[in-house]
């Protein structure tokens, strides 16, 4: 039988000591656990601050990555129909903290295997400076990021940035432009609207450009540049009633997604930066000015039998008829002599004021920074009046010619050219009367149906236009056989909606063009093909040529005098 154990003071003290030690250990354990939990919370909070909150706080992010800028992206750019032309996507950039990289040489060696474009000497110098931060490579590909991440080198890390992407590539390069690596606009719309596009709540930009029409113009123009071994070209399509630029092409083009790999010459926008003597296209303005002045009518005419002497030079006709020519004939046959005599009858002061109204004496207001001022005479003497009458002695850009011609055919209202899609009612200023505009429409149609612009005809679209051929000026001298061959057209001429301008830079005649490199042989066929393809895209219905109302809209009586006998022909 086992009885109750007797009370022992020693054992009681022993139990009390054990209980006290357990209590102390428990307290210490709680303290250690609390400290550990606090440290964990601090580390987690810092991680959240660095990886999440910093992305929404530009100041904190900038402090984190040092002096480098951190871009938050830009507003998207769309064409008039909503096709994406520019956007921003996430990309990864590699940076280093040399202070915590133990083996510099090994790090550099392994990095160069993945990024062979890096300079080992430059990297070594930057590592040796022991800065707290520096960029190694901006905007890596996903494959490059993955390979570097696998190295597992402490002190190498990535930052998410925004990279500008241009889905249309070279198709809209001169219009949209491009940005630098920090998303600052350097050209085109990107530069002009840099502040708006880069604001925190950047709204998208909707351009007037139609990507479908842009593709047609670039494709057809590039084919002509290749066919005639030219050095480039420019093409424009404008809404004649609003001034909206539907297409603007400059060749050669460039890839805005990789500007560093491009030739700098390709970034030159021939449609807005280039200013050229436009040759006979200027006769449109000479005729409009003369007719609008009231001093000359469609029944007027001039003796074009002999060339005009100007100092030691002679002004001749390329297609000389050597007889009296009526105003329509001067236009049909592109007579320099007749155009000069019309301009002199109106006068130099009137000519200068007229061209100023058309925006030809000042820079175009188009929404680009890449705009050149026209080259105009400082003193407007008789010799200037004479040469400008047929498109020499004054240089303007293709965008200026296009917007000025639009005013000549749309009823007489000048609309400032724009690359931004218009939503409200168009506004403009009257520059010629409706009657004069109607007469110019008839003359332009006559050039295509009966004159030098026959190769611009596009069946069903009633094209009217004017050729332009001029020698390029190089070093203050005309460069023989270096031509700027152009054609400006409108369609449909019974109620013009669009103006098309095409220019080919230094074409070389071939067997197909019978050796000619003039605007009628080189640029006019491009206009024809472009109109045939964009007409359906733009909703322009083909015109029935036999419709009496159409014939009446374009009818013109041409008075001729041959062998001293007058005759009146209706076209």
């Amino acid at each position: 039988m086992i009885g109750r154990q007797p009370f022992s003071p020693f054992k009681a003290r022993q139990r009390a000591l054990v209980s006290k030690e357990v209590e102390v250990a428990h307290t210490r354990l709680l303290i250690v656990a609390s400290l550990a939990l606090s440290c964990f919370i601090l580390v987690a909070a810092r991680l959240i601050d660095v990886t999440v909150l910093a992305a929404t706080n530009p100041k904190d992010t900038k402090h984190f990555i040092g002096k480098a800028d951190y871009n938050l992206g830009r507003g998207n750019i769309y064409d008039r129909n909503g096709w994406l032309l520019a956007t921003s996507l996430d990309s990864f950039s590699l940076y280093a903290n040399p202070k915590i990289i133990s083996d510099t040489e090994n790090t550099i060696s392994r990095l160069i295997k993945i990024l062979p474009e890096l300079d080992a000497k430059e990297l070594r110098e930057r590592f040796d400076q022991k800065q707290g931060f520096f960029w190694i490579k901006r905007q890596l590909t996903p494959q490059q990021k993955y390979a570097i991440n696998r190295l597992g080198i402490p002190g190498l890390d990535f930052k998410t940035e925004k990279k500008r992407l241009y889905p249309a590539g070279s198709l809209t390069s001169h219009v949209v432009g491009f940005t630098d690596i920090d998303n600052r606009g350097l050209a085109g719309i990107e530069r002009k609207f840099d502040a708006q596009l880069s604001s925190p709540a950047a709204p998208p930009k909707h351009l007037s450009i139609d990507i479908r029409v842009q593709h047609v113009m670039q494709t057809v123009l590039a084919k002509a540049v290749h066919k005639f071994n030219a050095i480039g070209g420019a093409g424009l399509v404008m809404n004649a009633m609003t001034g909206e630029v539907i297409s603007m092409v400059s060749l050669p083009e460039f890839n805005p997604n990789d500007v560093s790999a491009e030739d700098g010459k390709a970034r030159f926008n021939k449609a807005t930066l280039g200013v050229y003597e436009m040759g006979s296209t200027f006769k449109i303005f000479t005729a409009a000015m003369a007719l609008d002045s009231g001093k000359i009518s469609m029944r007027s005419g001039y003796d074009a039998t002999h060339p005009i002497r100007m100092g030691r030079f002679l002004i001749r006709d390329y297609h000389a008829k050597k007889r009296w020519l009526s105003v329509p004939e001067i236009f049909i046959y592109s007579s320099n002599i007749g155009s000069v005599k019309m301009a002199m009858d109106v006068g130099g002061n009137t000519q200068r004021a007229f061209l100023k109204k058309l925006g030809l004496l000042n820079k175009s207001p188009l929404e680009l920074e890449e705009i050149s001022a026209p080259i105009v005479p400082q003193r407007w003497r008789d010799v200037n009046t004479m040469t400008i009458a047929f498109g020499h002695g004054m240089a303007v850009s293709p965008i200026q010619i296009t917007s000025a011609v639009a005013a000549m055919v749309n009823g007489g209202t000048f609309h400032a050219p724009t690359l931004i899609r218009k939503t409200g009612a168009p506004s403009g200023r009257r520059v010629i009367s409706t009657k004069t505009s109607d007469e110019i429409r008839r003359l332009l149609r006559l050039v295509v149906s009966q004159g030098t612009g026959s190769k611009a005809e596009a069946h069903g679209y009633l094209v009217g236009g004017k050729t332009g051929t001029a020698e390029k000026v190089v070093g203050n001298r005309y460069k023989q056989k270096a031509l700027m061959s152009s054609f400006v057209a409108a369609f449909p001429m019974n109620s013009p909606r669009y103006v098309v301008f095409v220019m080919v830079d230094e074409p070389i005649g071939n067997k197909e063009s019978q050796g000619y490199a003039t605007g009628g042989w080189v640029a006019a066929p491009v206009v024809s093909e472009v109109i045939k393809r964009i007409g359906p895209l733009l909703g322009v219905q083909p015109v029935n040529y036999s419709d009496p109302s159409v014939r009446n809209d374009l009818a013109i009586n041409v008075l001729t005098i041959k062998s001293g006998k007058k005759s009146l022909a209706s076209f």
Side-chain angles (χ1 to χ4, degrees):
M1 181 177 180
I2 300 176
R4 176 181 290 180
Q5 295 291 330
F7 173 76
S8 172
F10 174 76
K11 290 183 177 181
R13 286 195 301 274
Q14 195 174 33
R15 284 197 297 272
L17 289 172
V18 170
S19 177
K20 188 175 182 180
E21 289 177 358
V22 169
E23 184 178 351
V24 171
H26 185 261
T27 301
R28 289 175 176 173
L29 184 61
L30 285 174
I31 293 171
V32 171
S34 298
L35 289 173
L37 181 61
S38 299
C39 291
F40 177 80
I41 291 173
L42 288 172
V43 171
R46 181 56 180 158
L47 284 173
I48 292 172
D49 178 55
V50 168
T51 61
V52 178
L53 298 181
T56 61
N57 189 337
K59 292 183 179 179
D60 290 347
T61 304
K62 190 171 182 179
H63 174 74
F64 173 71
I65 64 175
K67 295 182 180 179
D69 292 327
Y70 179 73
N71 53 67
L72 297 174
R74 296 166 68 85
N76 288 344
I77 300 175
Y78 299 92
D79 87 331
R80 66 183 304 106
N81 299 313
W83 288 95
L84 186 64
L85 303 180
T87 190
S88 297
L89 298 178
D90 285 346
S91 69
F92 301 96
S93 294
L94 176 65
Y95 67 91
N97 183 353
K99 294 181 179 179
I100 58 176
I101 294 179
S102 57
D103 191 340
T104 297
E105 289 300 324
N106 180 56
T107 299
I108 293 174
S109 175
R110 297 172 75 182
L111 280 175
I112 287 180
K113 289 181 180 178
I114 300 171
L115 304 171
E117 67 272 18
L118 295 178
D119 186 295
K121 181 180 178 181
E122 181 182 344
L123 272 180
R124 194 173 293 109
E125 290 174 353
R126 302 194 70 182
F127 272 107
D128 290 344
Q129 293 174 5
K130 295 297 181 183
Q131 300 174 4
F133 166 93
F134 74 86
W135 287 120
I136 294 178
K137 173 74 174 179
R138 305 283 293 277
Q139 298 181 348
L140 302 171
T141 65
Q143 293 82 359
Q144 290 171 333
K145 178 182 181 294
Y146 175 77
I148 294 169
N149 214 20
R150 289 194 62 190
L151 297 179
I153 300 175
L156 296 182
D157 211 341
F158 306 94
K159 197 64 193 172
T160 302
E161 296 190 286
K162 293 292 183 180
K163 180 179 181 179
R164 202 60 166 165
L165 182 69
Y166 303 97
S170 63
L171 187 57
T172 56
S173 56
H174 290 95
V175 177
V176 176
F178 57 92
T179 64
D180 64 10
I181 200 167
D182 289 311
N183 270 358
R184 291 183 290 254
L186 295 184
I189 292 294
E190 293 276 34
R191 181 182 177 188
K192 183 67 176 182
F193 295 99
D194 184 53
Q196 293 182 28
L197 290 167
S198 59
S199 64
K205 276 289 176 190
H206 291 273
L207 305 187
S208 60
I209 295 294
D210 186 322
I211 196 70
R212 304 167 303 169
V213 178
Q214 185 81 351
H215 173 72
V216 170
M217 177 61 81
Q218 187 190 61
T219 301
V220 179
L221 181 59
K223 183 179 177 181
V225 168
H226 176 74
K227 179 191 295 185
F228 293 100
N229 292 312
I231 64 174
L236 288 155
V237 178
M238 177 179 286
N239 185 322
M241 307 308 294
T242 66
E244 292 172 287
V245 178
I246 308 301
S247 171
M248 185 174 76
V249 172
S250 177
L251 298 178
E253 73 277 49
F254 65 92
N255 181 6
N257 293 301
D258 188 13
V259 179
S260 61
E262 300 288 348
D263 180 1
K265 292 181 180 180
R267 298 201 292 270
F268 185 87
N269 189 345
K270 293 179 183 293
T272 61
L273 265 179
V275 290
Y276 315 97
E277 291 189 353
M278 290 295 179
S280 293
T281 54
F282 252 64
K283 292 171 184 173
I284 300 172
F285 312 129
T286 300
M289 171 188 67
L291 292 168
D292 207 56
S293 72
K295 295 180 179 180
I296 296 167
S297 73
M298 295 285 271
R299 294 290 187 92
S300 301
Y302 294 91
D303 185 2
T305 306
H306 305 290
I308 298 173
R309 180 166 293 280
M310 185 181 64
R312 58 191 180 91
F313 300 102
L314 286 178
I315 297 175
R316 305 173 184 272
D317 281 348
Y318 189 71
H319 303 283
K321 299 301 176 182
K322 297 183 179 181
R323 61 176 174 83
W324 187 94
L325 298 175
S326 65
V327 168
E329 287 182 308
I330 289 170
F331 213 77
I332 295 172
Y333 304 129
S334 197
S335 170
N336 294 335
I337 298 170
S339 297
V340 167
K341 290 187 175 182
M342 276 197 289
M344 292 303 290
D345 272 359
V346 175
N349 290 336
T350 301
Q351 182 191 53
R352 183 170 189 168
F354 185 78
L355 296 179
K356 185 175 182 179
K357 283 198 301 183
L358 301 183
L360 296 174
L361 303 188
N362 303 103
K363 291 176 66 172
S364 172
L366 193 72
E367 300 92 350
L368 291 178
E369 295 292 335
E370 300 81 29
I371 301 285
S372 286
I375 300 174
V376 300
Q378 291 184 345
R379 294 177 56 199
W380 211 280
R381 298 171 296 179
D382 284 350
V383 64
N384 303 114
T385 300
M386 296 168 77
T387 57
I388 290 171
F390 58 94
H392 288 75
M394 176 177 168
V396 298
S397 63
I399 188 66
Q400 289 178 290
I401 281 285
T402 306
S403 54
V405 170
M408 298 296 96
V409 301
N410 69 6
T413 302
F414 179 85
H415 296 282
T418 180
L419 283 167
I420 306 302
R421 186 184 66 187
K422 288 187 176 180
T423 54
S427 61
R429 65 177 187 274
R430 179 159 295 282
V431 290
I432 56 174
S433 68
T434 303
K435 177 178 180 292
T436 300
S437 179
D438 288 343
E439 290 172 336
I440 293 299
R441 287 193 299 107
R442 289 175 167 85
L443 291 174
L444 289 171
R445 174 58 190 162
L446 202 59
V447 170
V448 174
S449 63
Q450 305 289 330
T452 58
S454 60
K455 294 187 180 300
E457 185 69 281
H459 185 71
Y461 290 106
L462 277 178
V463 180
K466 190 76 184 73
T467 56
T469 307
E471 292 180 346
K472 290 178 69 174
V473 178
V474 180
N476 295 321
R477 298 186 65 180
Y478 288 102
K479 184 180 178 183
Q480 290 187 347
K481 296 185 179 180
L483 302 179
M484 298 298 296
S485 300
S486 62
F487 196 91
V488 62
F491 76 102
M493 289 312 295
N494 61 319
S495 181
R497 290 177 56 187
Y498 296 97
V499 174
V500 180
F501 174 88
V502 167
M503 181 187 73
V504 181
D505 191 355
E506 294 192 24
I508 299 173
N510 55 31
K511 185 177 180 180
E512 185 177 333
S513 68
Q514 301 180 28
Y516 293 106
T518 57
W521 283 95
V522 173
V526 177
V527 169
S528 173
E529 183 65 22
V530 167
I531 290 174
K532 288 175 186 175
R533 293 175 61 174
I534 70 174
L537 297 176
L538 296 172
V540 180
Q541 296 296 322
V543 176
N544 181 1
Y545 286 23
S546 61
D547 187 329
S549 63
V550 172
R551 292 204 308 270
N552 184 61
D553 280 341
L554 297 172
I556 188 170
N557 293 322
V558 179
L559 179 67
T560 64
I561 297 180
K562 296 180 180 179
S563 302
K565 295 181 180 180
K566 292 184 179 181
S567 62
L568 191 64
S570 181
F571 291 92

